Amino acid sequence: MRKVCLLLLTMLALLGMSLSAEASPFGERVEGLTEITGVRVSSSQDKTRIVVDAKAPVTYRTMVLKDPGRVVVDIKDAWLSPQAKRELAVSGPFVSRVRVAQFDQRTVRVVVETTVGKDNYKIFPLTGGPVPGRVVLDFGRVGPDSAGATIALPDVKAPTKPAAPQTKPTTPQTKPTKPQTKPQTPQTKPQAPQTKPVETKPAETKPVETKPEEQQTPQDAEQAAQETAADTPGEQPATESSTDAGIAAITGLAGHSITIDAGHGGNDSGAIGPTGVTEKSVTLRVALALQKILTSEGATVYMTRTTDTEVSPKGAAASDIEELQARCDVANQHDSDIFISIHMDSFTNGAAKGTTGYYYALGSKKSRDLADKVRAGVIDQIGTPSRGTQSCNFYVVKHTDMPATLVEVAFISNPTEEKLMNSEDGVQKAAQGIADGIADFFG
């Protein structure tokens, strides 16, 4: 009998170890992240309230997309519970649908389809109470004096009663950073760069908010704490197998074709940092990481190079123009939707730093929009200073047939930025930033 008991205990111990081993990869993936447990929605004739529930207080950033109108909330350092609903239909005049997905390994994205104007929505965090962390999104009449206010809906005639003034602005806009004057570095990287003043005109797109600055009023907090929003009936939680499809639907990358150009390569090392890190090695690492992100979200990706080599069939014997044209040919022959050329900047003064987005001076507005969004995405991820979105005459953005941008991710000549971009963390964040910008561009 004693031997039987020992045998049973041994089997139970081995079973426990097996279960623990199977669970460990998931535990490692979500370690340090806050679980998003669900999204609740309630509507009235004056307002639609969306509450994102989390197991701890969270930070987030917001942005606005057009055609169709959407408000996007990216919750940082978070993971989405499999039990949380991925999509909720909303009945009401202010919001039509809410979608949720794991945007990347550390970000949960909430997309609210809405037609209200910027003065008729408000986003703020709540802590304490039965749910440790919440993000509240209100759409409609959101101000304390807005009971009779006109809601900014398209194609709706305004009532005769004048709108009461708001007592305070809704979510503030981040003031665009004034670009620093810097020499425009040509793609062939001559030793004596020409000095050209940077455009100081801000980008036409709406700036991305990096933090929620607006705090809830006591009335907001009390109402949100007391309000229990019911989930939309009849919808089933999404399974893990539907997560990828949910991400693709939210990011809008599925079905798009993208050409990624890792700058330099082969005999052309590009710029070289203070400790010997080469531009060609960094751009290739970022390009390969970006390829992985984009393909995982449903995009078709073409690479000008995937190894340390020239792109032209002539190899090292090719002229500069032949090499650059070969890169353009990859995008043009595949009829890609966009072209992204990845570079590292350099200057004789090691103090120069920051991220720049370039587009062809006589190109389309879409190219400038793409350059601006990619630049903003990189800055948001790696925290470099903004050097603005600038026009240029670089060969690869001039001779491609689709919206194109050349992004100077950081200065390899700056010791701090060289170290950052030679690290795995810096490479992954830069790639994610470019992917975020592309997703924002496609909307």
Side-chain angles (χ1 to χ4, degrees):
M1 184 66 181
R2 184 177 178 181
K3 289 183 179 180
V4 172
C5 292
L6 287 173
L7 181 60
L8 288 173
L9 288 172
T10 302
M11 292 176 63
L12 288 172
L14 290 173
L15 179 61
M17 290 173 64
S18 175
L19 291 173
S20 175
E22 290 178 1
S24 60
F26 176 78
E28 292 174 1
R29 182 168 66 86
V30 302
E31 184 179 1
L33 305 182
T34 300
E35 181 181 359
I36 303 300
T37 57
V39 178
R40 299 171 286 137
V41 178
S42 65
S43 293
S44 67
Q45 63 179 12
D46 290 328
K47 181 169 64 179
T48 292
R49 166 159 286 175
I50 302 162
V51 181
V52 182
D53 293 328
K55 286 194 172 181
V58 294
T59 58
Y60 58 89
R61 71 174 184 129
T62 66
M63 58 184 144
V64 177
L65 303 177
K66 296 180 180 180
D67 299 324
R70 284 150 295 162
V71 173
V72 178
V73 179
D74 281 344
I75 303 173
K76 302 296 185 180
D77 298 321
W79 66 281
L80 184 61
S81 169
Q83 282 70 46
K85 292 182 178 179
R86 264 57 175 183
E87 184 171 335
L88 299 94
V90 182
S91 59
F94 311 121
V95 173
S96 59
R97 188 166 56 151
V98 180
R99 292 177 287 157
V100 190
Q102 189 76 43
F103 181 67
D104 59 42
Q105 290 184 350
R106 303 187 68 87
T107 307
V108 171
R109 171 164 286 189
V110 180
V111 178
V112 181
E113 297 183 8
T114 180
T115 51
V116 304
K118 64 183 179 62
D119 293 330
N120 297 115
Y121 71 87
K122 182 165 59 175
I123 302 171
F124 55 91
L126 280 178
T127 57
V131 180
R134 284 167 288 176
V135 179
V136 180
L137 299 81
D138 283 344
F139 294 82
R141 296 184 174 90
V142 297
D145 298 326
S146 63
T150 301
I151 302 297
L153 293 170
D155 303 323
V156 177
K157 293 183 178 179
T160 56
K161 184 175 179 179
Q166 304 257 337
T167 58
K168 68 174 184 177
T170 55
T171 310
Q173 302 299 311
T174 304
K175 183 178 180 182
T177 304
K178 183 177 180 181
Q180 306 169 13
T181 301
K182 69 169 283 267
Q184 180 173 325
T185 309
Q187 188 166 354
T188 53
K189 304 287 182 185
Q191 294 299 316
Q194 298 177 357
T195 301
K196 177 179 177 181
V198 175
E199 289 185 358
T200 55
K201 180 180 178 182
E204 297 173 358
T205 54
K206 186 171 182 179
V208 174
E209 303 162 19
T210 56
K211 290 183 181 179
E213 297 292 343
E214 183 179 64
Q215 298 298 320
Q216 74 271 25
T217 63
Q219 293 87 348
D220 290 330
E222 182 178 356
Q223 182 180 0
Q226 294 175 354
E227 199 168 298
T228 302
D231 286 332
T232 305
E235 298 196 16
Q236 298 300 319
T239 62
E240 284 295 323
S241 62
S242 66
T243 300
D244 289 343
I247 292 174
I250 285 184
T251 61
L253 290 172
H256 287 292
S257 62
I258 300 162
T259 293
I260 303 172
D261 173 39
H264 306 282
N267 284 346
D268 178 12
S269 65
I272 300 176
T275 67
V277 177
T278 61
E279 180 179 5
K280 69 174 183 178
S281 65
V282 174
T283 60
L284 181 59
R285 291 171 65 191
V286 173
L288 292 173
L290 176 60
Q291 177 191 28
K292 186 175 181 180
I293 294 170
L294 296 178
T295 54
S296 71
E297 294 176 6
T300 300
V301 177
Y302 302 102
M303 305 288 286
T304 60
R305 67 183 183 98
T306 56
T307 60
D308 181 16
T309 184
E310 295 84 3
V311 179
S312 170
K314 293 185 178 181
S319 67
D320 289 345
I321 295 301
E322 288 172 330
E323 174 65 16
L324 296 175
Q325 185 59 48
R327 296 167 188 263
C328 299
D329 290 344
V330 174
N332 294 338
Q333 291 171 5
H334 287 100
D335 195 24
S336 295
D337 294 325
I338 61 171
F339 175 86
I340 307 289
S341 187
I342 302 170
H343 284 257
M344 291 289 292
D345 220 331
S346 180
F347 192 48
T348 53
N349 186 344
K353 58 185 177 180
T355 301
T356 314
Y358 287 102
Y359 64 98
Y360 177 45
L362 300 180
S364 67
K365 290 183 178 179
K366 287 186 176 180
S367 287
R368 173 164 185 153
D369 186 36
L370 175 63
D372 195 61
K373 284 181 164 60
V374 168
R375 174 193 56 79
V378 171
I379 290 169
D380 184 60
Q381 284 288 335
I382 66 176
T384 45
S386 173
R387 299 183 70 92
T389 302
Q390 304 181 34
S391 62
C392 70
N393 198 37
F394 295 155
Y395 192 97
V396 292
V397 296
K398 181 178 180 180
H399 293 274
T400 38
D401 300 333
M402 65 290 300
T405 182
L406 185 150
V407 57
E408 298 276 13
V409 176
F411 273 76
I412 201 167
S413 54
N414 180 290
T416 301
E417 294 189 354
E418 179 200 33
K419 182 178 179 180
L420 169 67
M421 293 312 303
N422 195 38
S423 69
E424 188 61 26
D425 184 59
V427 166
Q428 292 298 327
K429 286 183 175 179
Q432 187 61 60
I434 297 172
D436 290 349
I438 293 171
D440 292 348
F441 173 78
F442 285 127

